[in-house]
Amino acid sequence: MIQSMNRSGIKHEIPEWFFEFHGHRCPASVLGYLAGKYALKILEIDREKDEGTYVFSETGDEHHQGCFDDGVQVATGCTYGKGNYRRLQYGKLTIIVYKPGKGAVRVRVKTEILDELDRFEFFKYRASGVPASQVPKEVVDDVVNYVLSKDYEELFDYEFLKDFNYNPPRKTSTRLVCRVCGEYVFENYIRILNGKMLCPHCYDIEKYRERKMR
């Protein structure tokens, strides 16, 4: 656990390996981890080991949002690699966690928490271009411990999404050979051109060549 876990006021535990995986300590990754844990608690489900739970993250690609996503993935077990984690590109520190048979819950970081975080020195370092891994430890601990000192209800708002439904695309382990490059490609990604089965890359090249010859 992180060194400050034994200090008074800390209400949550974060596994040390998570920070090693993420690469640095930061408040957004901790918020993501706690948001994911809270969603599981609300839905009364366990961390996903396979592909039966889905996360739809309302984050985007800018600062802090990727850190938030890493935390959510570690907490929920829903990952990009398993295909049950989607980023919606809304630019919000908010997630929807959906478990068929259990329902869907939307968890968002409270506006007042984000406003309060802005006062911490950590964000002055980040705004000046200092990478998170190079911010002084005491500065990082100050803001991380602030987040860890809050109850779930202080950090997040949530709502159940009663009509939410999601039908995941069919997955396959069948591989076919591209007729141009000769490499295996999974069946769902095969494209057909002039009666030939092609991988997406070769398909794009062949289509480009056809257009140039016209």
Side-chain angles (χ1 to χ4, degrees):
M1 304 301 170
I2 65 175
Q3 293 182 3
S4 58
M5 280 301 144
N6 293 325
R7 296 179 182 177
S8 62
I10 300 300
K11 298 180 179 179
H12 307 279
E13 294 185 347
I14 310 292
E16 179 64 28
W17 64 262
F18 164 58
F19 294 111
E20 294 174 359
F21 161 76
H22 182 58
H24 60 257
R25 289 175 167 83
C26 67
S29 65
V30 173
L31 279 169
Y33 183 87
L34 296 179
K37 294 284 282 187
Y38 191 32
L40 298 184
K41 178 182 178 182
I42 294 167
L43 290 175
E44 299 181 337
I45 59 176
D46 295 326
R47 186 176 187 271
E48 181 59 49
K49 295 180 179 179
D50 299 302
E51 301 167 4
T53 305
Y54 304 91
V55 171
F56 301 86
S57 172
E58 297 188 15
T59 58
D61 298 323
E62 303 300 327
H63 282 310
H64 315 313
Q65 296 170 72
C67 299
F68 184 83
D69 278 337
D70 271 359
V72 176
Q73 290 180 87
V74 168
T76 62
C78 301
T79 67
Y80 284 112
K82 288 191 291 188
N84 53 350
Y85 197 100
R86 303 286 181 92
R87 179 180 278 176
L88 300 179
Q89 297 289 346
Y90 292 171
K92 300 179 179 182
L93 297 185
T94 300
I95 56 171
I96 296 169
V97 178
Y98 171 61
K99 178 79 170 182
K102 285 287 189 176
V105 64
R106 183 175 185 262
V107 176
R108 70 174 183 87
V109 182
K110 288 187 174 183
T111 301
E112 52 266 35
I113 288 293
L114 295 175
D115 288 341
E116 185 66 17
L117 287 176
D118 287 341
R119 73 175 179 84
F120 284 88
E121 193 175 0
F122 174 87
F123 291 101
K124 295 179 181 178
Y125 277 91
R126 296 294 288 117
S128 67
V130 177
S133 62
Q134 296 178 27
V135 176
K137 182 180 182 301
E138 61 274 14
V139 173
V140 177
D141 285 348
D142 188 31
V143 66
V144 166
N145 288 341
Y146 170 80
V147 175
L148 293 173
S149 72
K150 300 294 183 181
D151 292 319
Y152 288 130
E153 293 79 8
E154 295 178 280
L155 294 170
F156 308 108
D157 286 321
Y158 76 89
E159 61 179 319
F160 289 106
L161 305 180
K162 295 181 180 179
D163 297 324
F164 189 91
N165 189 37
Y166 173 66
N167 295 312
R170 182 183 69 88
K171 293 187 176 182
T172 178
S173 58
T174 301
R175 298 185 303 272
L176 300 173
V177 176
C178 173
R179 295 290 299 276
V180 173
C181 67
E183 296 176 354
Y184 270 128
V185 57
F186 285 94
E187 181 182 22
N188 287 349
Y189 295 88
I190 283 288
R191 309 286 294 276
I192 304 297
L193 182 64
N194 299 326
K196 295 189 298 183
M197 295 187 300
L198 306 179
C199 71
H201 179 65
C202 291
Y203 177 88
D204 289 341
I205 292 174
E206 293 297 306
K207 288 290 287 185
Y208 175 74
R209 287 174 178 168
E210 282 190 356
R211 288 195 297 269
K212 288 199 69 175
M213 292 176 62
R214 289 174 184 170

